[in-house]
């Protein structure tokens, strides 16, 4: 079976069946990414509440022990790249107040 040039350029597939599979999977990934972004935004809001409570009670903005727990959790679940992901997420959640 052949594919048209536009399909090949868009998906990198060499057959129409593969292109259709790739298009469907990419739609699912886009949907998952939207959900992940929403969850991170929710986490940022919750983190701001925690930081505000900590600061207003005389504490520090960041709790390094807690951050180490989060890093370990991501590393255990996702391996070494999970640590980098957690660092990025923690950076997004810091200093928003």
């Amino acid at each position: 079976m052949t594919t048209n040039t536009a399909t090949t350029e868009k998906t990198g597939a060499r057959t129409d069946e593969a292109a259709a599979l790739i298009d469907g999977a990419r739609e699912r990934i886009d949907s998952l990414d939207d959900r992940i972004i929403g969850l991170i935004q929710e986490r940022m809001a919750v983190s701001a509440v925690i930081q505000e409570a900590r600061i207003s009670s005389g504490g520090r903005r960041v709790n390094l022990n807690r951050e180490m727990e989060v890093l370990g959790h991501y590393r255990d679940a996702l391996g070494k790249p999970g640590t980098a992901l957690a660092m990025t997420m923690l950076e997004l959640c810091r200093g928003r107040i």
Side-chain angles (χ1 to χ4, degrees):
M1 182 173 287
T2 63
T3 61
N4 63 49
T5 303
T7 301
T8 301
E9 288 176 10
K10 181 180 175 193
T11 65
R14 294 183 181 239
T15 66
D16 289 336
E17 291 97 12
L21 181 93
I22 290 167
D23 280 339
R26 284 181 176 169
E27 287 178 17
R28 178 81 173 121
I29 285 173
D30 290 345
S31 175
L32 290 166
D33 285 344
D34 288 343
R35 289 172 47 200
I36 291 166
I37 290 167
L39 289 169
I40 290 171
Q41 289 170 331
E42 182 178 350
R43 190 189 193 288
M44 290 167 65
V46 172
S47 181
V49 169
I50 293 168
Q51 289 176 50
E52 188 172 319
R54 190 181 303 118
I55 291 168
S56 67
S57 71
R60 300 180 69 182
R61 180 175 54 90
V62 176
N63 180 329
L64 296 178
N65 288 334
R66 173 63 180 152
E67 288 196 356
M68 293 304 293
E69 289 175 12
V70 171
L71 291 170
H73 181 68
Y74 275 70
R75 182 192 61 244
D76 292 347
L78 302 172
K80 186 177 178 182
T83 304
L85 177 62
M87 285 297 297
T88 299
M89 189 220 18
L90 289 169
E91 183 179 341
L92 285 168
C93 293
R94 287 186 200 125
R96 296 291 182 178
I97 58 170

